[in-house]
Amino acid sequence: MTTRSIPRAEGRPSAAPGEQNRKLIRARRRREARYGWTFLAPFLIFFSASFLIPILVSIRSSFYKLVPAKGGLFGGGENVETFVGLQNYAEVVGNERFWQGIGRVLLFGLFQIPIMIFGALALALLLDSLLIKRVAAFRLGFFLPYAIPGIIAAMVWLYLYNPQMSPIVQGLSALGINVNFFGHNIILASMANMTTWTFTGYNMLIFLAALQSVPPELDEAARIDGATSWQIVRRIKIPLLRPAALLAVLLSIIGTIQLFNEPTVMYTQNTWMGADYTPMMMAYNSMMGQVSPSGAGPASAVSIVMALIAAVLAAIYAFAQRKVD
């Protein structure tokens, strides 16, 4: 009986088929990753240049202040950017006018945000119902105020509030109703009306998008079970809108802390408000040198403290909403 030997293949043995497949898969994934990062690069560049870099610059600037080079009571020489640590933050936290401005915007948001959110929800439910035939036209009409630049809208409302020119004030006066929209006790409500008019349509779109994502089978099943339209709205649609309401309220809280256009325009006719009526006005006018302490450092510190307060308020609301759910 003879034994035949199998000759060995010359050179290195070929890789197993499984190893070859894994290499091909890894190569394909790397290629797809390169394509993905290539398409994402323009956004990342724009996002970094317009968002991340300014934030980092502002944080760095908040630790510096322009100080006269020679020091002394009256200074002298050119101003030099000097590292002052947490001094800018200490001045902001200890500034009574800053906390008065925070109190005003919190009071503003306390009554403006609920009115705007409920108004937006009502408009969204109306457009989602069968009562409206030309939904596109009404949707555009409700959203149109948001398309107007905020500063222009504030100037329009300033005209409508002016006692000498306003047809609204003159019409109310003819009816024996005298209203001073620039009064100390009503000016926050006047600004709240301006903001509500501008942003209700925007929040309405958030709710409307959420309503249109509700499966129609739920509506049909509820009607088959004998539910009325109001019961469907109250028991099905509104509970499903909680994520949209959370988003709308969080955006409104952040926007309220950043209230700027309306009080700045109102200040042109009512200088009693002061250049630091709201925290955002304080930050801007500190940068412009109209509020003391002035400069990029104090202005940046005001902005960062505002951002922290907005983040805390948003987190508190999100946590409370989660507890309710």
Side-chain angles (χ1 to χ4, degrees):
M1 183 175 182
T2 60
T3 303
R4 297 179 59 185
S5 60
I6 301 176
R8 295 183 179 180
E10 296 182 359
R12 297 182 61 185
S14 59
E19 181 65 23
Q20 290 181 348
N21 291 336
R22 284 192 290 270
K23 289 183 178 179
L24 291 175
I25 291 173
R26 286 196 293 266
R28 186 174 68 248
R29 288 178 177 175
R30 286 195 295 268
R31 184 169 60 252
E32 291 175 351
R34 286 196 297 269
Y35 291 155
W37 284 108
T38 301
F39 282 108
L40 192 61
F43 166 77
L44 291 178
I45 294 172
F46 179 78
F47 181 76
S48 299
S50 61
F51 188 77
L52 294 180
I53 294 177
I55 289 178
L56 296 176
V57 171
S58 181
I59 293 174
R60 184 261 179 197
S61 179
S62 66
F63 296 104
Y64 288 80
K65 180 183 288 188
L66 291 177
V67 178
K70 296 183 179 180
L73 181 62
F74 300 101
E78 297 182 354
N79 290 332
V80 178
E81 189 179 49
T82 305
F83 179 79
V84 294
L86 298 176
Q87 179 181 343
N88 290 328
Y89 291 97
E91 292 176 349
V92 172
V93 174
N95 192 332
E96 182 181 359
R97 291 289 295 175
F98 173 78
W99 293 110
Q100 289 176 353
I102 290 291
R104 293 188 189 100
V105 296
L106 291 179
L107 178 62
F108 174 92
L110 191 62
F111 65 87
Q112 188 272 331
I113 292 177
I115 292 174
M116 180 179 63
I117 295 299
F118 283 114
L121 176 60
L123 292 178
L125 291 171
L126 182 63
L127 292 181
D128 188 63
S129 68
L130 301 177
L131 300 176
I132 302 298
K133 302 300 181 182
R134 303 179 184 274
V135 175
F138 282 96
R139 183 173 62 235
L140 177 61
F142 295 150
F143 180 75
L144 190 59
Y146 180 75
I148 301 175
I151 194 71
I152 302 300
M155 293 173 65
V156 171
W157 279 104
L158 183 67
Y159 161 76
L160 294 175
Y161 289 155
N162 193 299
Q164 285 75 33
M165 299 180 293
S166 171
I168 297 177
V169 176
Q170 294 175 3
L172 292 175
S173 298
L175 297 175
I177 303 174
N178 297 318
V179 180
N180 179 15
F181 291 105
F182 296 145
H184 288 67
N185 297 327
I186 200 174
I187 196 165
L188 278 179
S190 300
M191 291 188 289
N193 176 62
M194 298 158 66
T195 305
T196 303
W197 179 81
T198 301
F199 288 96
T200 298
Y202 173 81
N203 290 287
M204 178 268 299
L205 286 184
I206 296 177
F207 286 120
L208 186 60
L211 284 171
Q212 292 177 347
S213 66
V214 175
E217 293 81 6
L218 293 178
D219 196 332
E220 296 174 1
R223 292 187 185 279
I224 292 175
D225 291 339
T228 64
S229 298
W230 171 243
Q231 288 175 332
I232 293 174
V233 168
R234 186 166 58 92
R235 299 290 181 85
I236 297 177
K237 292 185 177 181
I238 291 181
L240 292 175
L241 291 178
R242 286 186 178 180
L246 176 62
L247 174 63
V249 173
L250 289 180
L251 293 176
S252 299
I253 291 174
I254 295 172
T256 297
I257 297 296
Q258 297 176 347
L259 186 67
F260 179 75
N261 289 335
E262 292 80 3
T264 299
V265 172
M266 297 288 266
Y267 172 69
T268 61
Q269 295 292 321
N270 306 275
T271 55
W272 59 263
M273 295 170 58
D276 51 4
Y277 190 75
T278 65
M280 184 62 79
M281 288 181 64
M282 174 180 285
Y284 175 77
N285 289 311
S286 294
M287 185 69 185
M288 296 294 104
Q290 299 179 15
V291 172
S292 180
S294 61
S300 298
V302 172
S303 300
I304 293 172
V305 173
M306 286 170 51
L308 294 175
I309 292 174
V312 170
L313 292 176
I316 291 173
Y317 174 78
F319 179 77
Q321 183 72 14
R322 192 171 301 172
K323 283 291 185 180
V324 171
D325 294 341

